Amino acid sequence: RYLPRATPWLLRYLSEGRTSRAHTVAAEMAPLTTAAYDAHRNLISAGGIEAGLIRQEGYLHVWREADGFEQTALQRALMAEHGIASEVLDGDGIAALEPGLARDFRYGFHVPEGGFAVEPVALTQAYAAAFEAAAGLAKLAPIDPRTGTA
């Protein structure tokens, strides 16, 4: 009974999953993602926030079987298309990068410049505190969460 109501959503979902749409979204997101780490560093510096809350030490995806790795072909192509450095690794390359991993990982995908928040909640709280300290909320009236009004 719900299918007629869900059909518009399902059609939109299928439309968004097209490869051409992935290329469009990647092109729109590339300027944001490539500048994100530097933007975080700038905010951390300006806010006097602990620098160790973010790290840019890369990330590695590994698989034992080829099928999982092959499913990243579009992701890898989009990253290359937008200048994001990455490298494909075999078992020896994985072991050289992460010697503690089991030797049965034979397929790897490494993004050496990838960054991440070590403590996402702590980082968000530090940003909020820095914003408040800079009188960022002083001009705003409290918002009633039930009505969305001041």
Side-chain angles (χ1 to χ4, degrees):
R1 293 184 334 193
Y2 191 72
L3 184 59
R5 288 178 52 199
T7 299
W9 180 88
L10 291 169
L11 292 174
R12 171 90 188 231
Y13 177 79
L14 292 172
S15 175
E16 292 294 318
R18 293 174 295 135
T19 301
S20 62
R21 181 68 180 137
H23 282 275
T24 300
V25 170
E28 292 167 350
M29 294 293 296
L32 295 172
T33 57
T34 55
Y37 187 77
D38 288 339
H40 278 287
R41 275 199 341 226
N42 291 340
L43 285 171
I44 284 171
S45 177
I49 297 168
E50 178 190 341
L53 289 174
I54 62 168
R55 290 189 193 152
Q56 189 175 23
E57 57 189 42
Y59 61 87
L60 172 66
H61 296 276
V62 294
W63 297 265
R64 290 179 173 92
E65 305 295 330
D67 60 337
F69 172 74
E70 290 167 4
Q71 291 176 13
T72 67
L74 178 58
Q75 176 187 1
R76 290 181 281 118
L78 290 171
M79 291 175 77
E81 184 177 315
H82 296 287
I84 298 171
S86 67
E87 56 187 331
V88 172
L89 301 173
D90 61 10
D92 292 335
I94 294 167
L97 191 61
E98 290 292 340
L101 285 179
R103 291 292 300 179
D104 58 344
F105 290 108
R106 301 180 329 178
Y107 304 90
F109 171 42
H110 180 229
V111 180
E113 295 179 10
F116 61 94
V118 175
E119 299 269 350
V121 172
L123 180 61
T124 302
Q125 290 169 336
Y127 283 157
F131 182 71
E132 288 176 356
L137 295 178
K139 297 177 186 171
L140 298 177
I143 303 293
D144 182 334
R146 294 169 293 176
T147 64
T149 60

